[in-house]
Structure formats: C-alpha cells, structure tokens
Amino acid sequence: MNEMTARETAPEMVTTTTKETELIEKSREVYDEEEKGEKILPRQKHVAVLEAKSLPGIISAYLNYPDAAEKDVKKWERSYQKLSPAHKALLPHYPMKFQNLRRCISTNSHFILNMLQAFDPSLDLSKHMGKGKTGVLSIEELQRTEVYDHSLKNHSVDTRINNKTCEFDGSQLNHDHVSFSSHDLLDSSLQTHVPLVDVDKVRWVLRNIVRDWGAEGQTTRDECYKPILEELDSLFPDRQKDSTPPACLVPGAGLGRLALEISCLGFRSVGNEFSYYMMICSSFILNYTQVPDEWTVYPWIYTNCNSLSENDQLRPISFPNIHPARHVLPNRRETGLFINAGVTEGFSMCCGDFLEVFNESSQAGMWDAVVTCFFIDTTRNMIEYIETISKVVKDGGVWINLGPLCYHFADIPGLENEMSIELSLEDVKRVASHYGFEIEKERTIDTTYCANPRSMQKNRYYSVFWRMRKKKCAI
C-alpha cells in the first residue's frame, strides 16, 4: 500500500488516552449515571453501541498482523524457489533474509501484544446494552459481540478517559494497570475474518510511530511540526504569565506528538483523533513508556520495492525518542535553561469525529487556536470542517494549517456514488473568508508524510502553510 492510499484509509474507531480534565469534560457529551437524570439521545446511544461492537474487529486486525506478514514472506519464498539453480546462486543470502524477516515480524508482534495487554476498553455502555452491574463493558463481553461494524466513518463514540488515567506529578506518570491476559487476546474468535485492508492499517500505525516517536522521523517533524510550533510560540509570547494558558485544539492528532509538543510550549493542548488504531497505540506510548527508546519495531519490511540495500529494509526503529512525561524543552526566554514540560494536566487526547465532538454549542468560542496538520482534506465536505473551526475559535483567535489537498474520499473504488467535495486552494480560502477568517500569513513548504527516508521512492508535497485570524463577530 503506498503512502497516500494508506493515509487516506479511514479507520473506524476512537478512544481516549490521558487524564480526565475539566477541559476535556467540556469537549463532548458523556454518559452520566442514571440517577443524575441525564438524558442520552437515541442516536448517540446507537452510535456508541455500534462502535463498541466494532472494537473486537480492530483488536483482531492487530492480532492478525503476524499471520498476514508470514503470508507475505511465504509468497516471497515461493518466488525465490522458482528460480533456476544458477539464478539462486546469485542470491545466496535470500534464505537468511527470510529468516531475518521472520525475526522482525516477531519483534513487531511482541510490541503489538504488549500494547494490547495494556489496553482496557472500558466503555461505559452497560446500562444501555443490558450488560452486568458494574457499568463497564469488559473485553470478554466485547469478544462475545456477534456484529463487527466497519462502516462507522462519520460517527463518534462517547467514552470516558478513565480507561487510561494519566497524571504528571513532577517525576513520573501514574496510570491504572488494568489489562487482560494473553489468553483473552489470543481467543480464536478474534483472529478470523480480518480483511487485509485492516491489517494494512496496523502496518500504517507502525510507520506513523517513526513519524511521531522515532529519531528517524525528526526530519519529517521538522518539516511539518516545527513551522506550527514556531508560529504558536511567536503568537502567544506572554502565555507563561497568564493565569490561564491559551487553549489549542489539534484535530487529527494521530499518535499525539504534535499535541504534546504544543503542550510543552505552555498551552492547554487537546489532541482529537478519530482512529482507534492510532489511539490504542498513542495510549500505550503516552501512558506506559518508562524510558526513551524502550521499544523497537521494523516498519519497512512490508515491501521489497525501492530498497537501496537489504539492511535498509530490515533496519530497526527504537521509540519513543523522548520520555513523554519527562520531556524537556529549552526555555527560549532564558538561554541555557530548560523547562520540564512533559505530559501534564494541560495535555489530553480525546476521542471522536471532529465534526460531532466539537460541533456542540458548549465549544463555541472556546479555543484560542486550532492547529490542523495533514487533516483538512480527510473529509467528504471541507466546508463543514471550516465552519466548525470557525465556530470553536474565539473572536481574534487563529487557525494554523499545514498540509496538501489530497482529499480522502476522491476517486476511491466502490465509493463512486458517495459525496466528495474537492476544493481548490483558492476555493478553500474563499470559504474560510466567508466564515470570518482573514489570512495573515501564507507560504508553501516542501514536506513528506511517513516516508521511508532510505527508500528510492518518496512522495513529497508542496504543502500550504497558513495563519488565519478570525474576525470579531464572524459568521
């Protein structure tokens, strides 16, 4: 699967990863206790129940990763065996390469299993599904679900952040060690009927680990994240003096690195992510990392194409390159000093489809800044994105964007009858102006996206970067 196809394949589920703060409480409706008399809208209840049912399918995709990878290796072995003896003699190292590939797959599988064992999907839906007395839908109950729904691409799920509680106490991350056993994970019912496209999403997560948390991804982060961070730093110079730090929303936060870096600058930063594939992984990295470079994966083993050398294809990536809870940044106002600015109460990741989670009246004018990075082209109708961004940004607030206009739903086979509105950059700016935004800065930046830096083929984008400010009394 090439880079853009993988990026444009929308996973179906979402979750949450960090401490339940006041800021995030305001970001969505939650299922309160029945005795409080709070009413749950039928559609919200229906969507949440369906998405809970699809969770086992996502876990299945992760668990089926080694089998799918083994099939690839066997296919390559069969091709090698078809060579004549003379041609085989020119490639005497190939049998060892296949052994090394299996070792890499085993290492990747070890990480995936540890990640899943740390994951506790505590969806508080029991009173709506007739489950138990505890108010928590357990992994065993999810495993018994008969229907896997893979079509929920435009919905959100109302889950509580308590599935991975994250607190920064100045020295370490504290979290609830609630997990399920390897026996539960390896239940045969979770390892059947997994489409290859879902396993490809797992492979895509491994490549995103490089982008967000590997030292090798620093070049990409410098291309994509650094301009955004520098812009925020210059726009809010007095934020450390404010009693309430400025609030920044990051839709499409992926594995959370950009949202974390914004928090490190002294902002209240909330990353919003739609993909449960991504959120399970970001939860593990943010909540369970003990030291830098604790884990190793081999993200580039899935294709033999465009490799300069076998060693490039089989090279390991260690991550995270920083400890999220102990990340330190230079204090730009006091040269030579550093600030301890890791995971704090001002940082969180929240679940859901951006249009649903943040299109509530409670979100109107709540954010000093919205940051979108490789995000605005992931919708069927970008006008809805721009309208919602305008709604949540306070008057005088800013929208900072970086990315191309590849359009997630354009020309996807089988979706010919589905809506996809593909605006030119000129039209995007015209719509933004209609919703009260004025362009203050605009330029093009040459970037990659999850590219293998040692591959002979790289997709590069002339990404548009802008800073827009919302006029007072905007539409």
Side-chain angles (χ1 to χ4, degrees), residues 207-208 210-212 214-227 300 373-374 402 445-453 458-460:
R207 290 193 286 272
N208 269 269
V210 183
R211 178 178 186 252
D212 263 18
E216 194 172 279
Q218 189 63 53
T219 299
T220 298
R221 291 194 295 272
D222 286 345
E223 291 170 350
C224 297
Y225 297 168
K226 189 175 180 180
W300 313 119
C373 184
F374 277 77
L402 186 147
I445 299 177
D446 190 17
T447 70
T448 59
Y449 188 93
C450 287
N452 180 351
K458 299 181 183 70
N459 288 342
R460 297 201 66 86

Side-chain angles (χ1 to χ4, degrees), residues 147-358:
V147 180
Y148 294 173
D149 189 292
H150 291 272
S151 62
L152 303 167
K153 294 186 178 180
N154 294 304
H155 302 298
S156 63
V157 60
D158 294 310
T159 63
R160 300 301 299 266
I161 290 183
N162 61 6
N163 69 313
K164 287 289 176 294
T165 301
C166 171
E167 298 179 351
F168 185 75
D169 64 4
S171 62
Q172 64 180 349
L173 268 176
N174 299 319
H175 46 260
D176 297 330
H177 292 276
V178 182
S179 63
F180 45 92
S181 68
S182 303
H183 175 75
D184 293 329
L185 284 171
L186 298 176
D187 186 291
S188 60
S189 66
L190 289 178
Q191 295 183 283
T192 58
H193 310 300
V194 177
L196 182 58
V197 66
D198 288 352
V199 179
D200 280 338
K201 293 171 189 175
V202 175
R203 296 170 176 173
W204 184 240
V205 170
L206 297 178
R207 290 193 286 272
N208 269 269
I209 288 175
V210 183
R211 178 178 186 252
D212 263 18
W213 296 103
E216 194 172 279
Q218 189 63 53
T219 299
T220 298
R221 291 194 295 272
D222 286 345
E223 291 170 350
C224 297
Y225 297 168
K226 189 175 180 180
I228 293 170
L229 295 170
E230 290 178 343
E231 197 67 31
L232 286 170
D233 187 43
S234 65
L235 282 172
F236 298 89
D238 299 322
R239 60 189 178 278
Q240 303 290 353
K241 301 176 184 178
D242 296 338
S243 58
T244 302
C248 182
L249 175 62
V250 187
L255 294 183
R257 182 62 177 265
L258 177 58
L260 173 65
E261 296 288 354
I262 291 172
S263 172
C264 291
L265 288 178
F267 291 80
R268 289 178 293 148
S269 175
V270 174
N272 166 232
E273 176 54 43
F274 182 56
S275 164
Y276 216 147
Y277 290 88
M278 291 286 192
M279 293 296 277
I280 289 174
C281 185
S282 66
S283 172
F284 184 77
I285 293 172
L286 292 167
N287 288 294
Y288 292 95
T289 298
Q290 300 299 315
V291 294
D293 295 328
E294 181 177 359
W295 298 95
T296 298
V297 293
Y298 294 84
W300 313 119
I301 62 175
Y302 310 112
T303 178
N304 296 311
C305 300
N306 293 305
S307 291
L308 292 171
S309 76
E310 182 178 302
N311 288 336
D312 286 343
Q313 183 184 3
L314 299 176
R315 73 187 186 277
I317 299 296
S318 297
F319 70 96
N321 69 314
I322 60 169
H323 189 308
R326 300 186 179 93
H327 186 30
V328 294
L329 291 176
N331 188 330
R332 299 182 183 183
R333 312 214 196 306
E334 299 180 52
T335 304
L337 299 180
F338 290 81
I339 55 174
N340 190 354
V343 174
T344 70
E345 292 187 4
F347 168 73
S348 53
M349 294 281 286
C350 82
C351 66
D353 181 279
F354 171 65
L355 294 176
E356 295 204 2
V357 175
F358 291 92

